[in-house]
Amino acid sequence: MCGLAGLLAPPGVLTAAAAERFRLALDPALAHRGPDGAGCWQSEQAVLVHRRLAILDLSEAGQQPMRSRCGRWLLVFNGEIYNHRELRADLEARGERFRGSGDSEVLLAWLVRHGSAGLSRLRGMFAFCLYDSQGRSALLARDPHGIKPLYFWQGPHGELAFASELRALLAWGAIPRRLDTASLAAFLATGSVPEPTTLVQQVSRLRAGHLLEWQQGELQERPWGPLPESQPLEPDPGLDAGASARLARQALEESLQAHLVSDVPVGLFLSGGLDSGALLALAPPGLRTFTIGFRGDVGDHDESAAAAAIAAHHGAEHTPLPLDVEQARAWLPDFLDSLDQPSNDGFNTWCVSRLVTAHGLKVALSGLGGDELFGGYPSFATVPRLLRWRRRCGPLGPWLGRRLVALPRGQRARSQRLAAWLQHQPSLNAAYRCFRGHFAPAEIAALLQRWGLADGQALAAAQADGLEPPAGLEPREAVAWLEGRHYLRQQLLPDSDVLAMAAGLELRLPLVDAHLQRRLAVIPARWRLAGGKALLRQAVPELPEWYLRRPKQGFRFPFQQWLDDPDQPLELRLPPTPAGLDLGPWYRRWSLMVLQHWLRRQIGIDLGG
């Protein structure tokens, strides 16, 4: 796990002074991602920057940028290749020899031999650049789910700048800090900025499962294989509930074993929920666990007691962090400065990552992805029900939507989303947006008008429907497709990477794994996505009954209570909003406050207030 950056240019474009300015800006901007080492390589046409967090092969043999034995190829790499030993054996059988024991050296040799055709054999999370110093070309790629980020900008002379974080690219100073209003509208709709766009014009995030090929200023982007959600589902009708549970158990054990490969100790984010509890039950003894608790009366948000109890049940060394509003207020400025793009989530990950690294660990596992994989969200029941209701409304839907807005409670957040949904043609994606959405299109238009940022492109983005799931999927499978493509990929994964790395922590996700997903795809949806994550419960019988009976929670924070405090303890500025906009739900205020801070800090725009 590391931070990487690079600047590639056609002949005669990159000067030595420009390359040095890039290095001097990017190296410190990425230092938090790699406190264990720094490296740089540059030529007349390229500069490659790397910051190292040493996890595999702690020796000097793991330093980057890494150069091939022939000297032609250079690699900067962020992530982990969990099957590197298997790939090493394959390469050694073909005559390859290695100096160290890490995955970076294996990845370099593998890519030199196979190029982009070899990407399908990689199991792991990765973003990298392989530079050909002789051919003056480069291959950049991201893992299938997009766990590891990669941002890029193409300049007017064909130069390509890229980095692990958007903030790092902006620190360079050569990219104009102009707001992308269409991406802003998308953020207001969902609480996150969807790939491939960013809030900065002309800066893109390489799509998950895609590659970039750069050759002397020419740039091409394409998928390097089928994306996880587009994998063909070929369920085995012969699998009953018992056989499905046994298959799931084997696949989970294998994925967890792969994600535990490390030359340093590994911890676990233990939320008190089923996903992280299952990882703990399947893990070998001795895993250290960490959770967040809350001081004071915070209702059902505090799950630290359940986390401590399940940790004790499995003999884990457990460390809680009791958090109160005063501590949250003290940490808030550092958290906000760690956001690569605004998000309505992530403070939980930032806090627990800080706890883990404070106790000397560099790697932790998380149960993120289990709800998408096993049908754990309320959306799996609610979204298909919303679609059925909309179909029953038929052509009366738009009329009902207008009537709803006209009612005394029509300005409420939920009413606005329902009204917008009723005015759409019946579709699963529209129902999903109604369920997951933050601001309705009319509210987004009013916000943009209030801030003087409305334009045709932004308003069109506010109305955009998004992609429908592939035809032929069962309703719960279609919701899994939407949750994986949108909520997981656009919000949870970007937040988890940048906020864990803000503390210098590598976060591994055994339940977000393309190989695991392919193995589970043969299980019929009636078992794989059964309510209450029944398949996961059956696959991990080591979890005690008292734990399984607990209601679903996860790492939740009492933001509603904190933001409703009359003393405004979190001290965030709310930008000006149009009259009548419902700001009662905490997530609406939080997302606007975070947005205001980010725009002011990163682009120099103040919305007012």
Side-chain angles (χ1 to χ4, degrees):
M1 184 72 73
C2 306
L4 61 87
L7 177 59
L8 315 177
V13 172
L14 182 62
T15 65
E20 184 66 4
R21 283 196 299 272
F22 184 85
R23 182 190 69 81
L24 290 174
L26 272 291
D27 181 79
L30 293 169
H32 57 278
R33 298 185 69 96
D36 295 333
C40 179
W41 178 91
Q42 64 187 74
S43 69
E44 294 179 353
Q45 290 185 233
V47 53
L48 301 175
V49 175
H50 191 266
R51 296 291 309 209
R52 186 185 185 200
L53 181 66
I55 305 298
L56 294 174
D57 190 353
L58 310 185
S59 73
E60 291 297 314
Q63 292 285 7
Q64 297 182 45
M66 186 173 288
R67 197 162 191 172
S68 63
R69 288 185 178 275
C70 67
R72 174 177 175 176
W73 308 89
L74 293 108
L75 175 73
V76 283
F77 160 53
N78 171 29
E80 301 290 350
I81 306 300
Y82 299 125
N83 64 336
H84 70 95
R85 291 180 180 138
E86 172 192 329
L87 301 180
R88 176 187 295 262
D90 186 303
L91 290 166
E92 287 177 335
R94 298 170 184 269
E96 190 72 41
R97 295 294 176 261
F98 296 94
R99 296 172 297 169
S101 60
D103 58 343
S104 300
E105 191 178 4
V106 173
L107 178 61
L108 173 57
W110 185 263
L111 293 172
V112 168
R113 180 175 290 271
H114 298 286
S116 61
L119 293 173
S120 61
R121 283 283 304 276
L122 303 180
R123 179 175 192 171
M125 51 182 183
F126 54 83
F128 66 77
C129 172
L130 177 72
Y131 181 66
D132 178 356
S133 63
Q134 180 177 317
R136 294 181 174 85
S137 62
L139 170 68
L140 299 87
R142 286 181 74 201
D143 62 76
H145 282 98
I147 300 173
K148 305 314 301 172
L150 193 61
Y151 294 89
F152 68 95
W153 170 82
Q154 188 168 26
H157 305 293
E159 63 268 41
L160 176 69
F162 59 88
S164 295
E165 294 185 6
L166 173 61
R167 291 172 303 149
L169 277 181
L170 295 179
W172 176 31
I175 298 175
R177 301 192 183 207
R178 293 193 292 263
L179 176 65
D180 186 311
T181 54
S183 297
L184 173 60
F187 167 78
L188 293 171
T190 64
S192 61
V193 182
E195 64 181 36
T197 65
T198 72
L199 286 181
V200 182
Q201 290 183 25
Q202 296 183 314
V203 179
S204 300
R205 183 170 48 166
L206 180 59
R207 293 176 175 91
H210 281 62
L211 61 81
L212 283 177
E213 292 175 315
W214 182 88
Q215 174 74 51
Q216 296 294 319
E218 297 296 323
L219 191 64
Q220 290 187 338
E221 179 180 356
R222 60 181 173 85
W224 53 260
L227 298 178
E229 70 271 11
S230 64
Q231 297 280 359
L233 295 175
E234 299 177 358
D236 182 349
L239 288 174
D240 59 15
S244 296
R246 289 190 293 273
L247 190 158
R249 170 67 176 234
Q250 295 169 358
L252 288 167
E253 287 179 332
E254 194 270 336
S255 182
L256 180 60
Q257 183 180 15
H259 285 73
L260 284 170
V261 173
S262 174
D263 291 336
V264 298
V266 179
L268 171 67
F269 287 7
L270 186 61
S271 70
L274 182 57
D275 302 321
S276 59
L279 294 180
L280 176 61
L282 294 172
L287 198 66
R288 294 187 64 181
T289 58
F290 301 84
T291 198
I292 301 290
F294 301 101
R295 297 190 183 99
D297 182 12
V298 293
D300 63 354
H301 288 85
D302 192 340
E303 57 189 350
S304 57
I310 195 66
H313 179 81
H314 290 287
E317 180 183 347
H318 185 63
T319 303
L321 173 64
L323 192 65
D324 59 21
V325 68
E326 294 301 323
Q327 183 65 77
R329 177 167 56 184
W331 281 354
L332 193 60
D334 285 344
F335 161 73
L336 292 170
D337 287 343
S338 299
L339 286 172
D340 208 31
Q341 293 202 86
S343 170
N344 81 315
D345 202 357
F347 193 42
N348 48 4
T349 300
W350 190 90
C351 290
V352 73
S353 298
R354 188 183 182 105
L355 173 66
V356 172
T357 55
H359 285 78
L361 272 68
K362 295 181 180 181
V363 185
L365 305 177
S366 167
L368 187 70
D371 286 310
E372 292 82 359
L373 197 59
F374 295 108
Y377 289 128
S379 59
F380 282 88
T382 303
V383 170
R385 187 163 60 245
L386 283 171
L387 179 58
R388 289 195 297 271
W389 288 348
R390 176 63 186 88
R391 285 173 172 165
R392 289 171 186 165
C393 292
L396 289 177
W399 179 84
L400 290 171
R402 292 191 295 272
R403 292 290 299 166
L404 179 60
V405 172
L407 293 174
R409 302 168 77 88
Q411 298 305 308
R412 296 286 182 91
R414 186 178 182 187
S415 298
Q416 288 285 311
R417 294 201 309 274
L418 286 170
W421 162 69
L422 284 166
Q423 294 179 66
H424 272 86
Q425 291 298 315
S427 73
L428 201 69
N429 183 63
Y432 177 76
R433 285 170 64 86
C434 177
F435 176 84
R436 280 283 183 202
H438 282 206
F439 293 97
E443 295 175 308
I444 296 171
L447 283 166
L448 296 175
Q449 291 282 359
R450 180 68 179 84
W451 299 333
L453 297 174
D455 60 37
Q457 189 177 13
L459 296 177
Q463 297 283 351
D465 290 340
L467 295 175
E468 284 291 320
L473 296 182
E474 296 182 19
R476 293 178 69 86
E477 290 177 325
V479 174
W481 187 95
L482 288 164
E483 292 286 17
R485 185 180 183 90
H486 296 292
Y487 186 48
L488 178 68
R489 181 176 301 168
Q490 312 300 349
Q491 181 160 324
L492 297 181
L493 294 180
D495 287 351
S496 295
D497 171 82
V498 74
L499 295 171
M501 288 307 302
L505 180 73
E506 173 174 296
L507 194 60
R508 296 183 176 182
L509 311 173
L511 303 181
V512 185
D513 182 271
H515 291 251
L516 172 66
Q517 192 166 332
R518 284 195 291 271
R519 290 197 63 186
L520 297 183
V522 302
I523 299 176
R526 66 180 180 275
W527 308 125
R528 180 168 42 86
L529 298 173
K533 291 193 273 195
L535 179 62
L536 184 58
R537 293 166 181 261
Q538 295 164 10
V540 191
E542 293 90 339
L543 292 172
E545 187 62 30
W546 63 263
Y547 189 78
L548 295 175
R549 287 197 303 266
R550 295 183 63 253
K552 175 180 173 58
Q553 284 184 276
F555 275 127
R556 298 191 304 147
F557 273 45
F559 283 121
Q560 188 79 50
Q561 181 175 324
W562 289 350
L563 289 173
D564 287 343
D565 189 302
D567 296 327
Q568 184 66 36
L570 295 184
E571 297 179 351
L572 278 169
R573 289 176 56 196
L574 187 67
T577 58
L581 186 71
D582 182 9
L583 295 176
W586 72 266
Y587 61 86
R588 288 187 155 207
R589 281 174 282 167
W590 178 261
S591 60
L592 291 178
M593 291 170 173
V594 169
L595 173 66
Q596 166 85 316
H597 181 277
W598 192 92
L599 290 175
R600 188 172 62 247
R601 185 65 179 265
Q602 300 298 337
I603 304 186
I605 292 177
D606 195 328
L607 300 175

